[in-house]
Amino acid sequence: MLKSNAITLIGAPASPYTRKMIALMRYRRIAYCIAWGDPAAILTEMGVPKPKVTLLPTYVLPDAAGQQQAVCDSTPIIRRLEAEHEGRSVIPNDPAMAFIDYLLEDFADEWCTKYMFHYRWHKETDADNAGTLLPLLQKINLPVEQLHQAKSYITQRQVGRLHVVGSNEVTAPVIDASYKRFLRAMEAHLSQQPYLMGGRPGTSDFAVYGQLTQLVGFDPTSRAIAHSLSPRSVAYTDLLEDQAGLEPQSRDWATTETAPATLKGLLNEVGHVYAPALLANAAAMQSGEKSWETEIDGSRWTQQTFNYQGKCLQWINGEYQALSADDRSRVDGMLEGTGCEKIIF
Ligand SMILES: N[C@@H](CCC(=O)N[C@@H](CS)C(=O)NCC(=O)O)C(=O)O
């Protein structure tokens, strides 16, 4: 793998973030070499040290001294790719829209992934599908006996982790209602323009696409809901997979002035469910609580505290603070009344 000049990454077809990054590199025409499998094992084979936390996808990229290093977390990797590869940028040229794009990327990565994990493991039929396919995606010729063992191991482990993302009997209807509102907002927005960010895709398009590859393409319950509520999201998922043929122009970006009103539908969902989660998580971090409880969409939501989501809130605010006063006020105009205002300090 290291013999190629292409960027090496390790991931899985059933990982939304892996799909996010592959589609992004295809669109950007950045040569890549994907190894499907377990990052820890492949890194050992490659003689590359493991990162502190191994996530899918794991990139193998040179550090400042030119040494190959394992790197995770799609959001900063996208910015590194922007700095190292010219053209076909995925960051809107209007700084105010770049902020909106950042916020929607974060929402897709951190909230829409709850839809994914919930639908995958909550119902027995979906868990049965994932339990069979996940081991086969690691090794397609796995003998039947081992497949049974792997299936029962992975299903038990993942069902046991549902509470980590906040999925339980109380929150199941909240997650379901949020997914349905999200799909309706997508349907309305995609009836106006081909990408969330206008006539060319931004980082949020790839983040949403990554989650939809699973919701539409892998898990039966969420697939049926998507087909019934948002055929445009289904078509979008097929189209975003490979946008290498698009020739984007700078005028193709929507601006805060030209973006259709339907963008607000998506921001309303961010404000309605993700904003209260971020705030409750931050408050728990501040008081050193290991878990938190708050009301989301009129229901009691309990979840473990995540340091990472605390950072997400800081990063969102860092992006906002970096804007000029004029751009901030244009962002404020877009966020007004959505509930997202509450997470900007
Ligand atoms: N913020 C990270 C998230 C990546 C992530 O959470 N990947 C999941 C799989 S899709 C993972 O590796 N989880 C660890 C595990 O399942 O053990 C990114 O954007 O890349």
Side-chain angles (χ1 to χ4, degrees), residues 264-323:
K264 205 134 190 175
L266 288 166
L267 294 170
N268 280 337
E269 194 52 26
V270 180
H272 189 59
V273 290
Y274 186 43
L278 279 177
L279 291 174
N281 186 70
M285 275 174 67
Q286 216 157 34
S287 54
E289 304 287 339
K290 285 203 164 56
S291 65
W292 51 265
E293 194 179 310
T294 194
E295 196 184 294
I296 297 185
D297 195 26
S299 191
R300 195 173 63 94
W301 187 286
T302 35
Q303 203 192 295
Q304 186 169 311
T305 309
F306 278 127
N307 277 336
Y308 187 83
Q309 281 177 6
K311 286 189 196 154
C312 289
L313 183 57
Q314 284 171 10
W315 290 327
I316 291 168
N317 277 278
E319 294 286 321
Y320 182 82
Q321 295 308 331
L323 295 173

Side-chain angles (χ1 to χ4, degrees), residues 78-272:
I78 291 175
R79 277 72 196 172
R80 176 171 174 172
L81 295 176
E82 287 281 316
E84 294 175 359
H85 299 261
E86 235 179 283
R88 305 178 69 80
S89 170
V90 289
I91 301 193
N93 54 4
D94 170 3
M97 279 307 279
F99 176 82
I100 300 294
D101 183 49
Y102 186 91
L103 182 62
L104 288 173
E105 179 192 357
D106 190 55
F107 169 72
D109 284 354
E110 302 300 321
W111 184 270
C112 298
T113 205
K114 292 184 193 299
Y115 308 149
M116 192 283 291
F117 204 75
H118 167 75
Y119 287 112
R120 182 158 297 175
W121 301 109
H122 180 72
K123 269 200 200 166
E124 216 174 299
T125 44
D126 295 289
D128 187 67
N129 169 68
T132 303
L133 291 180
L134 293 182
L136 292 178
L137 288 168
Q138 291 277 330
K139 187 172 161 65
I140 200 158
N141 57 345
L142 200 62
V144 162
E145 269 314 302
Q146 285 178 38
L147 173 58
H148 285 317
Q149 276 172 17
K151 177 175 180 170
S152 111
Y153 169 77
I154 197 156
T155 306
Q156 264 182 19
R157 190 184 66 165
Q158 300 297 79
V159 171
R161 280 168 149 194
L162 272 168
H163 70 277
V164 175
V165 301
S167 160
N168 55 49
E169 289 305 329
V170 178
T171 59
V174 179
I175 298 172
D176 189 57
S178 175
Y179 177 52
K180 289 174 177 165
R181 282 190 304 267
F182 167 72
L183 284 174
R184 290 195 179 100
M186 285 290 290
E187 186 67 11
H189 196 48
L190 294 175
S191 73
Q192 301 297 308
Q193 53 184 33
Y195 308 97
L196 302 188
M197 288 298 120
R200 59 185 288 179
T203 65
S204 59
D205 281 281
F206 293 100
V208 165
Y209 159 78
Q211 301 299 330
L212 287 174
T213 58
Q214 309 305 310
L215 291 160
V216 172
F218 191 94
D219 301 296
T221 297
S222 50
R223 174 179 24 242
I225 298 171
H227 276 264
S228 100
L229 295 185
S230 181
R232 290 176 212 268
S233 297
V234 175
Y236 173 83
T237 310
D238 280 337
L239 290 166
L240 262 282
E241 181 179 357
D242 196 336
Q243 290 289 324
L246 186 77
E247 295 297 347
Q249 309 293 319
S250 53
R251 63 171 181 272
D252 295 334
W253 290 118
T255 65
T256 50
E257 289 71 34
T258 62
T262 48
L263 185 55
K264 205 134 190 175
L266 288 166
L267 294 170
N268 280 337
E269 194 52 26
V270 180
H272 189 59

Side-chain angles (χ1 to χ4, degrees), residues 14-17 20 54-57 72-75 109-110 116 157-158 161 308:
S15 146
Y17 308 95
K20 170 189 181 186
T54 309
L55 295 172
L56 300 172
C72 297
D73 203 353
S74 60
T75 300
D109 284 354
E110 302 300 321
M116 192 283 291
R157 190 184 66 165
Q158 300 297 79
R161 280 168 149 194
Y308 187 83

Side-chain angles (χ1 to χ4, degrees), residues 31-62:
Y32 65 87
C33 178
I34 171 95
W36 300 121
D38 169 26
I42 296 172
L43 289 172
T44 306
E45 223 172 87
M46 292 171 77
V48 174
K50 276 180 245 164
K52 263 194 227 143
V53 188
T54 309
L55 295 172
L56 300 172
T58 296
Y59 274 70
V60 180
L61 292 169

